[in-house]
Amino acid sequence: MATKPILSVSGVAKTFILHLREGARLPVVNGAGFDLYAGECVALGGPSGAGKSSLLKMVYGNYRVDDGAIRVRDGDEVVDVATAPPRRLIRLRDTTMGYVSQFLRVIPRVGARDVVAEPLIHDGVAPEEATKRAGELLARLNLPERLWALPPATFSGGEQQRVNIARGLIAHRPLLLMDEPTASLDAANRAVVVQLIEEKKRAGVAILGIFHDAEVREAVCDRVIDVTSFGQMAA
Amino acid sequence: MNAHATGAMPEITYNFAYLDEQTKRMIRRAILKAIAVPGYQVPFAAREMPMPYGWGTGGVQVTAAVLGPDDVLKVIDQGADDTTNAVAIRGFFEKTARVATTTSAREATVIQTRHRIPETPLTENQILVYQVPIPEPLRFLEPRETETRQLHALAEYGLMHVKLYEDIARHGHIATTYAYPVEVAGRYVMDPSPIPKFDNPKLDDCPALQLFGAGREKRIYAIPPFTRVRSLDFEDHPFRVQRFAQPCALCAATGVYLDEVILDDKGGRMFVCSDTDYCNERQEAGHRGEMAGEAGRASPSPQPSPLRGEGADGALNLSPTGKGRPEGPGEGTWGVPTTPSSAGDPGSARAAPSGMTK
Amino acid sequence: MIEQPLLIAEGLSKNYGARIGCRDVSLEVYPGEVLAVVGESGSGKSTLLGLLSTELEASAGRVSYRLRDGRLADLASLGAAEKRLLMRTDWGFVRQNPADGLRMAVSAGGNVGERLMAVGWRHYGHIRDEAIDWLGRVEIAADRVDDDPRAFSGGMRQRLQIARNLVTRPRLVFMDEPTGGLDVSVQARLLDLIRQLVAELGLAVIIVTHDLAVARLLSHRMVVMRHGRVIETGITDQVLDDPREPYTQLLVSSVLAA
């Protein structure tokens, strides 16, 4: 385990202000703090509504941070997601952070295999090589080959999620954020995802995720951070 | 000369060449600027002339401004001296300037022309005045005057090539056969007026001063003597002039621009010099084309032209191929191919039927 | 890694008499980056695009652009010839109404070839080959090269407009509601094409749209405009998923699943 954390969250606070509801304040987290090291997989725990998903999105920069710091190591640099300018954040996502969400955001007209290959091509891998590796990954996730060329818009929830997992895992990112990656998968495919996560860990990737499935969580996670402890104290 | 002055009415007297001196000075200033900036369209305050637009009001004003009492004037309309338009303009200056007129390109000092450049080479002592319907070569693709001015100012002439590109794309070759755009002195792109592109090479390095007047559009432009004039083209579709398979049927001239003359309703036709003065001169010098004998019988009077005279009759029913018709508004700017199948193709008989100004 | 902005706007304002078109807008666009400008009609986003592209003259403020030689030039200081050269080589402008961006009476090939001829191409065969190549890239069959855009559908016209703009390999393209007025399925195809070309050619794009889904799909960053001002900026997904300003929240909540 590396001596320096790849992700260091400290004193993070977030409150949604709902202007359309007379400025109602919706506290999410307060004083969140934890570290994450290379090669470990950490689950965010706590009941529904405790702010697990929001915290994950803040780490990715998808949600803004009101207070505190989210420091991510990017090579020799450390970038604070809470304050980094947008372009730095975009670059951080390109080099360091991957995000696997529950839902696939469909891109019109692009076939499943190309959707998966895209991050690799973006990283500079030759298109033929990227497509080949995308096919291999989809095969491991048991997506029938006849679907590879089709845009995933019409796929079932489970099929879409497998495409999304493949897209999220295909490129190397030292920090992976996973939001219920196995939610609508059957047992066989859950097992594949567990395998894939294990491989990532062995490659030194740090994983922060939300895993509702206890079996999966126990299989891959090294520890659990209880988000409830960060919640609503200051509200 | 004023034999038509009627009854007790006093004879009408005009200022020399109709226009007042102030107007002529204004036009001369525009001409001087046009000469100083070859190919550039100089706006001028065109006057109402006692003739309709399309009958050469621009050319007439330029001629009036450059004409002196000792000048000898020739007026050509599509190569002929005796069409309505040519006769009217010649008569106009005979009446208002009392200058000598001629049909001979050699004798003339000022030649006003519509649609042709004489075959007889011009000299340093001559001025050629063109009648111009629409002076703006970019108008076809860019209707905004503000924009075309910008394009000229910045020498942005890509658009001109778009027009030629379209020609090739649609017809397989540059089908523009008249009003073929030229670049003058390496700078301005100019519409040479609706002369056949056959005449374009004569614009280049011409010893005579060439002036262009557009009355309706109120523009004057010029090509000073001995100026480089280049017809626009593509590397793989170079500029080429029309060529004719046969010599003139009357004077046997080759390498000149020929008109098609319909002889009967059975498809009979002949090709004769468009430049009647040139043709007559050659015939007088003894040159004989294959139909020269018949034509001679048909119209014994050699002057001004045995074929174009409105009184031409007898054995041959000659159609004057649209000569003398003025170009009306909207007519005669960009070349619609006259005979698309053969225009510009070497070796094919090409002529200018009456569709020329359409 | 020192990245230099391609275009910098500082304090741009535009007044139409007493009415404000745009007030004190500053932004930067980097090479290869897609910036979306969103807002409702009348928010000033089209005015901003006009100012950035120098089609409109600013009442105040300045736009600078990094020329190919690396020099950062104040666009107001460029001569007319230099500016026009820039606009027809290094820039593109894709307009909502294809009739404003195309020559409707000129063939597809002529439309694409115009910029080439403007920069001195004088070989018909080469111009035509290049035009056909670009028509292919925007999914227009080679046998349509001699048809004029009046015979094209709305989606084809937009694709032709894109080819016409990209043929000189510009580095910056302005797009004003490029998918406006198209059927949804046609929109999707066009969006995907733009997305591909932008990535492939490394284009910087400033796209004005009222459609948040378009912004989501195409842009890296976005600015939200209201009453002529920029009220919110950020990474596109951040602004859309966690909008901070009341107006942006309203905008996002008014859209079906953007």
Side-chain angles (χ1 to χ4, degrees):
Chain A
M1 196 173 281
T3 50
K4 285 190 215 158
I6 184 152
L7 168 68
S8 176
V9 175
S10 62
V12 163
K14 168 82 180 169
T15 300
F16 286 114
I17 299 169
L18 308 177
H19 293 284
L20 302 181
R21 281 192 240 153
E22 283 88 41
R25 298 175 65 84
L26 197 69
V28 185
V29 289
N30 194 351
F34 58 88
D35 288 345
L36 186 67
Y37 293 86
E40 70 170 343
C41 177
V42 171
L44 294 174
S48 201
K52 302 187 294 292
S53 230
S54 296
L55 192 54
L56 207 59
K57 285 176 175 171
M58 279 186 269
V59 172
Y60 192 60
N62 182 223
Y63 282 0
R64 299 177 222 246
V65 177
D66 295 342
D67 203 3
I70 297 174
R71 296 190 183 85
V72 177
R73 205 170 70 226
D74 180 7
D76 297 333
E77 271 183 82
V78 172
V79 179
D80 180 4
V81 172
T83 56
R87 293 192 47 78
R88 184 67 188 90
L89 200 43
I90 289 171
R91 195 144 50 83
L92 187 68
R93 290 176 178 184
D94 282 347
T95 57
T96 307
M97 284 197 290
Y99 188 84
V100 183
S101 73
Q102 260 170 290
F103 305 105
L104 175 67
R105 198 170 283 284
V106 177
I107 303 160
R109 287 212 313 161
V110 182
R113 186 170 44 181
D114 291 339
V115 168
V116 174
E118 205 177 55
L120 275 187
I121 294 170
H122 184 77
D123 285 357
V125 176
E128 310 79 56
E129 169 68 12
T131 312
K132 183 173 144 267
R133 280 162 62 184
E136 287 163 6
L137 197 50
L138 287 174
R140 278 188 73 182
L141 286 158
N142 303 306
L143 193 80
E145 194 167 347
R146 63 187 160 78
L147 297 181
W148 293 2
L150 301 178
T154 54
F155 291 6
S156 72
E159 285 162 351
Q160 287 198 6
Q161 191 167 5
R162 276 177 276 155
V163 172
N164 209 26
I165 288 168
R167 180 179 161 90
L169 296 183
I170 192 159
H172 175 73
R173 298 284 183 272
L175 173 60
L176 268 182
L177 309 169
M178 308 185 91
D179 190 351
E180 300 203 47
T182 58
S184 34
L185 299 184
D186 57 26
N189 283 313
R190 271 204 303 275
V192 176
V193 174
V194 168
Q195 262 177 34
L196 289 170
I197 291 174
E198 290 295 349
E199 286 167 25
K200 286 287 180 192
K201 284 171 67 179
R202 277 200 296 279
V205 172
I207 297 168
L208 179 67
I210 301 166
F211 302 92
H212 276 174
D213 187 311
E215 207 178 305
V216 172
R217 188 169 59 228
E218 273 154 38
V220 298
C221 291
D222 303 299
R223 59 193 165 103
V224 175
I225 294 169
D226 186 0
V227 174
T228 332
S229 60
F230 308 139
Q232 291 116 37
M233 292 184 306
Chain B
M1 228 193 264
N2 290 293
H4 300 298
T6 52
M9 293 281 284
E11 185 182 340
I12 299 168
T13 57
Y14 294 99
N15 191 43
F16 180 79
Y18 184 78
L19 292 173
D20 63 88
E21 294 305 311
Q22 284 304 319
T23 296
K24 285 191 281 185
R25 286 178 63 188
M26 175 272 292
I27 295 173
R28 283 174 203 141
R29 280 196 293 269
I31 291 172
L32 287 174
K33 181 169 179 182
I35 294 168
V37 191
Y40 170 70
Q41 300 166 47
V42 183
F44 82 110
R47 298 291 192 248
E48 288 300 314
M49 298 302 286
M51 61 185 71
Y53 288 127
W55 285 71
T57 55
V60 164
Q61 290 178 77
V62 170
T63 299
V66 299
L67 209 56
D70 300 332
D71 272 314
V72 180
L73 177 69
K74 168 179 165 75
V75 182
I76 322 170
D77 178 9
Q78 293 206 39
D81 294 274
D82 55 357
T83 63
T84 315
N85 196 204
V87 170
I89 291 171
R90 204 164 51 232
F92 176 79
F93 284 112
E94 282 168 354
K95 187 168 178 178
T96 61
R98 303 186 186 220
V99 291
T101 58
T102 180
T103 59
S104 164
R106 287 180 209 287
E107 290 169 18
T109 56
V110 175
I111 304 174
Q112 180 170 334
T113 184
R114 168 174 178 264
H115 294 194
R116 278 308 312 274
I117 298 174
E119 305 289 0
T120 308
L122 300 176
T123 68
E124 291 172 52
N125 300 319
Q126 293 177 309
I127 300 176
L128 186 57
V129 178
Y130 297 78
Q131 300 171 208
V132 180
I134 294 181
E136 180 48 71
L138 298 163
R139 185 64 74 233
F140 173 82
L141 291 164
E142 182 48 71
R144 290 167 296 176
E145 176 71 16
T146 49
E147 181 67 11
T148 54
R149 284 193 199 188
Q150 274 277 355
L151 295 175
H152 282 296
L154 301 171
E156 274 186 42
Y157 291 124
L159 207 52
M160 216 62 255
H161 277 87
V162 172
K163 163 69 179 109
L164 300 179
Y165 173 97
E166 290 296 284
D167 259 11
I168 303 172
R170 279 162 212 253
H171 306 291
H173 55 83
I174 297 177
T176 299
T177 53
Y178 65 96
Y180 192 106
V182 293
E183 179 199 83
V184 182
R187 177 58 179 83
Y188 283 93
V189 165
M190 189 195 91
D191 180 343
S193 89
I195 57 172
K197 68 175 179 178
F198 180 89
D199 284 343
N200 271 25
K202 296 180 196 156
L203 296 162
D204 181 34
D205 203 31
C206 176
L209 171 63
Q210 303 177 76
L211 302 175
F212 298 77
R216 185 173 42 217
E217 303 274 333
K218 300 178 169 48
R219 293 287 185 278
I220 287 172
Y221 50 102
I223 303 173
F226 302 109
T227 299
R228 176 89 176 100
V229 179
R230 193 178 61 81
S231 302
L232 302 183
D233 61 3
F234 286 105
E235 290 158 20
D236 49 343
H237 287 265
F239 173 79
R240 268 195 219 123
V241 297
Q242 299 102 320
R243 281 200 258 167
F244 300 90
Q246 63 224 82
C248 170
L250 295 178
C251 75
T254 55
V256 296
Y257 194 71
L258 300 180
D259 279 348
E260 182 183 21
V261 179
I262 306 296
L263 298 173
D264 52 41
D265 292 341
K266 301 181 210 83
R269 55 185 189 160
M270 64 195 286
F271 289 92
V272 298
C273 285
S274 146
D275 185 338
T276 55
D277 165 56
Y278 181 80
C279 195
N280 291 336
E281 194 176 77
R282 277 181 58 88
Q283 289 181 67
E284 278 161 22
H287 297 282
R288 281 285 177 274
E290 56 179 6
M291 294 174 88
E294 285 179 70
R297 271 203 310 281
S299 183
S301 151
Q303 284 294 335
S305 158
L307 291 171
R308 313 305 148 73
E310 270 146 40
D313 57 6
L316 294 174
N317 178 19
L318 299 178
S319 156
T321 67
K323 293 206 164 185
R325 295 189 318 114
E327 67 272 24
E331 274 186 289
T333 47
W334 270 101
V336 172
T338 46
T339 46
S341 61
S342 62
D345 289 350
S348 67
R350 267 284 300 109
S354 57
M356 196 73 173
T357 57
K358 284 273 175 177
Chain C
M1 177 168 162
I2 298 156
E3 247 192 333
Q4 292 185 311
L6 190 60
L7 180 135
I8 303 171
E10 295 161 284
L12 277 185
S13 294
K14 174 76 181 173
N15 305 323
Y16 298 104
R19 206 164 58 79
I20 292 161
C22 211
R23 178 177 284 181
D24 197 23
V25 175
S26 298
L27 54 81
E28 292 178 346
V29 180
Y30 286 77
E33 174 182 55
V34 180
L35 178 74
V37 180
V38 305
E40 294 173 327
S41 321
S43 61
K45 55 191 196 301
S46 291
T47 298
L48 176 60
L49 201 65
L51 293 174
L52 295 175
S53 63
T54 71
E55 289 194 346
L56 293 176
E57 202 178 321
S59 311
R62 166 165 84 160
V63 183
S64 312
Y65 181 73
R66 195 165 308 280
L67 302 172
R68 282 189 196 252
D69 62 11
R71 189 162 54 97
L72 188 68
D74 179 349
L75 289 177
S77 73
L78 293 184
E82 217 175 346
K83 202 152 88 181
R84 287 177 75 108
L85 181 68
L86 188 72
M87 290 175 90
R88 64 169 189 249
T89 55
D90 218 21
W91 288 7
F93 204 132
V94 176
R95 294 167 200 282
Q96 175 172 11
N97 180 359
D100 297 336
L102 292 171
R103 294 192 187 278
M104 298 303 280
V106 167
S107 70
N111 264 291
V112 178
E114 180 175 343
R115 275 176 163 234
L116 298 175
M117 292 180 250
V119 296
W121 286 43
R122 291 292 178 266
H123 190 287
Y124 173 82
H126 297 167
I127 294 165
R128 192 177 169 80
D129 289 348
E130 189 75 2
I132 289 173
D133 180 51
W134 273 95
L135 290 180
R137 286 170 181 242
V138 299
E139 302 169 19
I140 295 175
D143 63 6
R144 305 301 301 270
V145 65
D146 294 331
D147 294 347
D148 71 51
R150 286 173 299 203
F152 287 5
S153 67
M156 274 176 85
R157 288 178 185 181
Q158 280 311 52
R159 282 182 274 131
L160 178 60
Q161 214 193 148
I162 288 167
R164 171 178 159 87
N165 274 284
L166 297 189
V167 68
T168 50
R169 301 280 182 149
R171 293 185 301 156
L172 175 63
V173 179
F174 301 95
M175 298 188 180
D176 189 3
E177 304 273 11
T179 59
L182 298 176
D183 292 345
V184 177
S185 62
V186 177
Q187 256 191 41
R189 181 177 182 187
L190 185 66
L191 285 173
D192 180 47
L193 185 77
I194 294 174
R195 209 180 59 92
Q196 270 177 25
L197 289 171
V198 163
E200 197 183 307
L201 304 171
L203 292 177
V205 176
I206 302 174
I207 179 170
V208 158
T209 179
H210 68 277
D211 188 337
L212 299 183
V214 169
R216 165 90 76 182
L217 190 69
L218 292 182
S219 69
H220 301 106
R221 289 193 299 130
M222 62 189 270
V223 305
V224 182
M225 289 195 73
R226 190 188 191 203
H227 298 331
R229 289 178 183 279
V230 170
I231 58 162
E232 187 159 1
T233 68
I235 298 182
T236 297
D237 63 78
Q238 191 181 64
V239 173
L240 292 176
D241 294 339
D242 184 15
R244 187 160 42 194
E245 292 295 316
Y247 176 74
T248 315
Q249 291 189 0
L250 177 69
L251 212 57
V252 170
S253 66
S254 313
V255 181
L256 300 168

